Amino acid sequence: ETGVTQTPRHLVMGMTNKKSLKCEQHLGHNAMYWYKQSAKKPLELMFVYNFKEQTENNSVPSRFSPECPNSSHLFLHLHTLQPEDSALYLCASSQAAVYEQYFGPGTRLTVT
Amino acid sequence: KNEVEQSPQNLTAQEGEFITINCSYSVGISALHWLQQHPGGGIVSLFMLSSGKKKHGRLIATINIQEKHSSLHITASHPRDSAVYICAVTPPLYYGGATNKLIFGTGTLLAVQP
């Protein structure tokens, strides 16, 4: 499998649930990203990992918890979310900080 | 006001038409990106440029650093070009932390009718 993959593609969860989003890149990149895309709003950067170290947390609420066990895998752990957290969550990777980013297909999250 | 502004927000064209999408930004940048997002969510990077002009097939991207403006042109448009086109910029290395922090525009929704 090539490129950036994300699972699940769709997720519906209640506000008291705990779930995780998974991202995997098969490109040999060393930087990975989580983005949130809400309707009618620009993409928002959430987290950046460079060489497995978190280098950016864009004031994201603690109910979102990222994990990067190695340079190929990135997780976003979700707990006690709010309905306004419903959005498309996109993962991306890049060879290094200043190179172009490759995006996964996204996970469409609905919080009920 | 967004640091990256795109125009138009929505664009409808007839197949074969020449299309231009504009992007203006108010911050210093080290690079500008054009991205394409099809229905369903997947995003593809079209161009990354820091000066001049790049061409790939029917797509051309230009940037004017002095005017802080970029354009994306599509020649001989086709219905399969229908998508959201997103402009994003990478701040310079000294700006606010991580060098790979992209700042995005809100996108231009393009519909090409047969």
Side-chain angles (χ1 to χ4, degrees):
Chain A
E1 193 163 9
T2 60
V4 182
T5 59
Q6 290 186 242
T7 55
R9 295 293 308 275
H10 300 271
L11 177 62
V12 179
M13 60 186 289
M15 291 190 286
T16 58
N17 291 159
K18 288 185 180 181
K19 297 286 185 183
S20 295
L21 309 184
K22 179 183 176 182
C23 175
E24 185 173 359
Q25 58 95 1
H26 308 271
L27 301 167
H29 290 165
N30 49 44
M32 296 188 77
Y33 314 77
W34 279 118
Y35 290 96
K36 176 183 178 183
Q37 188 177 37
S38 304
K40 308 294 184 184
K41 293 175 69 175
L43 273 156
E44 302 171 59
L45 178 68
M46 299 176 73
F47 301 104
V48 180
Y49 278 82
N50 286 291
F51 295 96
K52 301 187 298 176
E53 297 297 320
Q54 188 182 126
T55 55
E56 182 82 21
N57 177 336
N58 202 25
S59 302
V60 180
S62 59
R63 57 186 183 270
F64 295 91
S65 175
E67 179 189 0
C68 188
N70 55 62
S71 58
S72 297
H73 294 85
L74 185 64
F75 295 89
L76 188 63
H77 304 299
L78 315 171
H79 64 98
T80 60
L81 294 191
Q82 305 298 312
E84 60 264 29
D85 297 322
S86 298
L88 181 68
Y89 288 85
L90 290 152
C91 172
S93 70
S94 65
Q95 177 59 32
V98 297
Y99 288 89
E100 66 180 319
Q101 296 182 19
Y102 292 76
F103 287 80
T107 295
R108 177 70 63 185
L109 173 66
T110 303
V111 181
T112 60
Chain B
K1 191 179 192 302
N2 287 346
E3 293 167 298
V4 180
E5 295 280 350
Q6 289 184 235
S7 64
Q9 289 189 325
N10 296 279
L11 179 58
T12 300
Q14 295 298 312
E15 184 172 358
E17 285 185 0
F18 180 83
I19 290 166
T20 296
I21 299 171
N22 296 298
C23 175
S24 297
Y25 52 92
S26 57
V27 296
I29 69 168
S30 61
L32 182 139
H33 307 253
W34 281 103
L35 310 166
Q36 181 191 57
Q37 185 172 29
H38 278 283
I43 293 177
V44 174
S45 176
L46 299 174
F47 295 103
M48 175 175 152
L49 66 166
S50 54
S51 65
K53 174 180 174 179
K54 286 191 175 181
K55 183 176 190 292
H56 184 234
R58 295 181 295 105
L59 301 178
I60 303 166
T62 63
I63 188 168
N64 184 318
I65 297 294
Q66 287 73 30
E67 294 185 3
K68 295 188 173 179
H69 181 270
S70 175
S71 293
L72 176 68
H73 305 287
I74 305 175
T75 62
S77 60
H78 190 275
R80 65 175 175 266
D81 296 325
S82 299
V84 175
Y85 291 84
I86 302 170
C87 174
V89 299
T90 303
L93 294 176
Y94 54 82
Y95 179 88
T99 57
N100 36 14
K101 180 176 180 175
L102 289 179
I103 304 173
F104 294 86
T106 52
T108 294
L109 176 59
L110 171 65
V112 181
Q113 298 177 340

